[in-house]
Amino acid sequence: MTFERTILITGGAGFIGSHLLRLMVNKYPQTRFVNFDALTYAGNLANLHDIESKENYIFFKGDITSPSDVNEAFDKYVPDGIIHLAAESHVDRSIEDPLAFIRTNVLGTGVLMNACRQHWKDNFEGKRFHHVSTDEVFGSLGAEGFFTETTAYDPRSPYSASKASSDHLVSAYHHTYGLPVVISNCSNNYGSHQFPEKLIPLMIRNIIQEKPLPVYGEGINVRDWLFVEDHASAIDVIFHKGIEGETYCIGGENEWRNIDLVKLLCKVMDTLLGRPDASAEQLITFVKDRAGHDLRYAIDATKLATELGWRPSLTFEEGLRKTAEWYLNNQAWLEEVTSGSYQEYYERHYLNR
Ligand code: NAD
Ligand code: TYD
């Protein structure tokens, strides 16, 4: 079969990448998608079972920090576009081991952009590099205000600083070499297939197992939650219709204090598990706060709505219920991803907290 074009998606075996591939592979049968992923602890090919036999899907095991892996994939598949999601993505791990984040998120992004220049020979007609980033690059808000595309960068964790550095590199390659880029900065995602080191799947797993629910500090930190399939649809719109050189903020218009979110999730889980009211809530345990814990993130996604017509599709209650149901129906997945080094991470991070 011949394809009209080839898009290489990095980090496609991870949480957001697997949702993006599922959307794109089904929606664009004339385009070939190459999933370039190193399969770190966060990458899991089981996330892609339903599309792995599609003709327009290929998996390539490679590390973005390795020029030879990246060049091999470019030589073999000659991609016209890159959507770059591969990253170390968990703030708590970045506090434990910042260099891993600098290596993957900064160096890895540089290696990819160098490969674009080299293989596209600085002839960028019909080419595009979409860099998928986070709202955490903008730092922390007080009680008021929102992040927009013009907010000054002020990253405060090793994770957000490494993502901010990668954003700056991508902008620099655009301004210096004319690399045709778009950048998107999204708020916190939730949904199926998220590794249970992040708040929502961690709490769901602990509720199922009737283990303590570790809320950092007083639980007053605020995040703006977006259903992962809505993030994937926003990336689709920005990759295809976004203006070259522009940045787009993506958010859920859905702010929650952690403690309120965890209490809502407890209610949803009690209902789904058929347990008496307030069973899960009794498991809430306040633990030592995260170092440098950003107080509040919130996105104003007006630009994306007015210029490209994108809006979130679900209410939080609908999305949270769908998400909880997925984890309950896929406990084998949860067991599989938590069977390896996860136990060690969990004990190191939460015991004695
Ligand atoms: P994830 O941790 O679930 O997945 C990351 C994927 O990247 C994994 O499949 C992993 O194997 C792969 N990877 C890691 N290092 C690699 C390397 N050196 N070479 C090749 N592949 C490598 O992450 P996620 O939550 O899906 O996030 C994806 C992207 O979206 C990241 O860039 C993240 O910064 C950004 N983002 C995430 C969120 C969120 O809430 N999760 C919000 C906004 C932006
Ligand atoms: P997380 O899912 O790690 O995303 P991020 O730090 O990128 O926003 O955490 C979301 C919020 O939940 C954050 O304020 C930290 C908090 N949190 C807890 O209170 N307990 C936990 O066990 C985890 C993982 C996070």
Side-chain angles (χ1 to χ4, degrees):
M1 178 154 179
T2 52
F3 294 99
E4 285 165 7
R5 61 204 293 241
T6 297
I7 309 296
L8 187 141
I9 295 185
T10 71
F15 167 48
I16 301 167
S18 60
H19 282 279
L20 180 66
L21 272 163
R22 185 168 299 106
L23 171 76
M24 296 282 219
V25 164
N26 287 314
K27 186 170 172 185
Y28 303 105
Q30 302 305 324
T31 302
R32 177 171 68 160
F33 293 93
V34 179
N35 173 13
F36 183 104
D37 198 299
L39 299 182
T40 69
Y41 79 94
N44 185 355
L45 289 178
N47 294 352
L48 294 155
H49 270 334
D50 53 330
I51 56 160
E52 68 191 1
S53 58
K54 299 259 179 189
E55 282 193 48
N56 62 336
Y57 170 77
I58 293 170
F59 173 66
F60 183 96
K61 187 169 189 298
D63 183 336
I64 55 167
T65 67
S66 158
S68 67
D69 285 2
V70 171
N71 285 329
E72 191 186 330
F74 267 79
D75 282 336
K76 201 161 171 190
Y77 301 115
V78 197
D80 307 287
I82 312 291
I83 309 180
H84 174 36
L85 296 97
E88 289 292 339
S89 69
H90 187 38
V91 173
D92 291 325
R93 287 187 191 254
S94 83
I95 295 168
E96 274 186 15
D97 183 9
L99 288 185
F101 284 67
I102 296 167
R103 184 176 155 73
T104 298
N105 300 356
V106 186
L107 176 66
T109 302
V111 168
L112 281 172
M113 286 186 304
N114 268 356
C116 290
R117 286 198 60 214
Q118 190 185 325
H119 290 266
W120 293 340
K121 301 189 170 49
D122 285 343
N123 174 5
F124 298 132
E125 187 67 35
K127 305 290 195 284
R128 173 153 281 197
F129 184 98
H130 181 154
H131 179 59
V132 175
S133 192
T134 166
D135 61 353
E136 303 191 25
V137 299
F138 300 123
S140 180
L141 292 164
E144 305 277 307
F146 296 92
F147 299 135
T148 71
E149 291 76 8
T150 56
T151 303
Y153 276 47
D154 182 23
R156 294 150 42 105
S157 74
Y159 164 65
S160 56
S162 67
K163 291 296 291 187
S165 308
S166 65
D167 293 12
H168 289 320
L169 272 177
V170 171
S171 295
Y173 271 65
H174 173 65
H175 290 288
T176 308
Y177 307 112
L179 192 72
V181 309
V182 280
I183 299 177
S184 53
N185 295 90
C186 188
S187 63
N188 286 62
N189 285 212
Y190 72 98
S192 71
H193 303 90
Q194 186 169 29
F195 194 77
E197 64 188 356
K198 304 279 170 67
L199 180 71
I200 291 180
L202 185 139
M203 295 295 170
I204 292 175
R205 179 169 183 268
N206 286 14
I207 292 170
I208 296 172
Q209 299 188 352
E210 297 179 270
K211 279 193 183 161
L213 308 180
V215 173
Y216 298 166
E218 296 171 67
I220 55 170
N221 305 70
V222 174
R223 300 291 184 261
D224 172 4
W225 294 93
L226 178 68
F227 191 56
V228 62
E229 292 176 28
D230 281 335
H231 187 189
S233 76
I235 294 173
D236 176 22
V237 169
I238 295 165
F239 179 73
H240 287 103
K241 297 196 193 135
I243 295 170
E244 185 181 312
E246 293 280 308
T247 286
Y248 296 87
C249 283
I250 313 169
E253 292 172 33
N254 180 40
E255 290 183 51
W256 286 81
R257 291 194 320 164
N258 291 338
I259 186 64
D260 299 332
L261 188 163
V262 172
K263 285 184 178 168
L264 174 64
L265 185 59
C266 285
K267 285 203 181 75
V268 171
M269 291 296 291
D270 281 345
T271 308
L272 292 175
L273 287 162
R275 292 182 184 160
D277 286 352
S279 306
E281 220 177 287
Q282 289 169 15
L283 300 168
I284 292 176
T285 311
F286 292 95
V287 299
K288 189 171 156 227
D289 210 353
R290 173 186 281 172
H293 197 171
D294 287 342
L295 180 65
R296 177 172 164 255
Y297 306 141
I299 286 273
D300 175 350
T302 305
K303 176 176 173 182
L304 187 54
T306 53
E307 294 185 12
L308 302 183
W310 176 91
R311 275 191 180 75
S313 72
L314 282 184
T315 66
F316 191 47
E317 284 71 12
E318 288 168 328
L320 203 57
R321 194 183 164 93
K322 267 180 104 164
T323 301
E325 281 170 348
W326 186 87
Y327 287 97
L328 280 173
N329 294 332
N330 290 276
Q331 291 188 48
W333 181 94
L334 264 179
E335 286 317 306
E336 191 195 320
V337 300
T338 52
S339 62
S341 57
Y342 181 82
Q343 303 301 338
E344 209 183 290
Y345 165 78
Y346 197 90
E347 282 175 24
R348 194 170 67 239
H349 190 67
Y350 289 100
L351 257 58
N352 308 317
R353 206 178 167 98

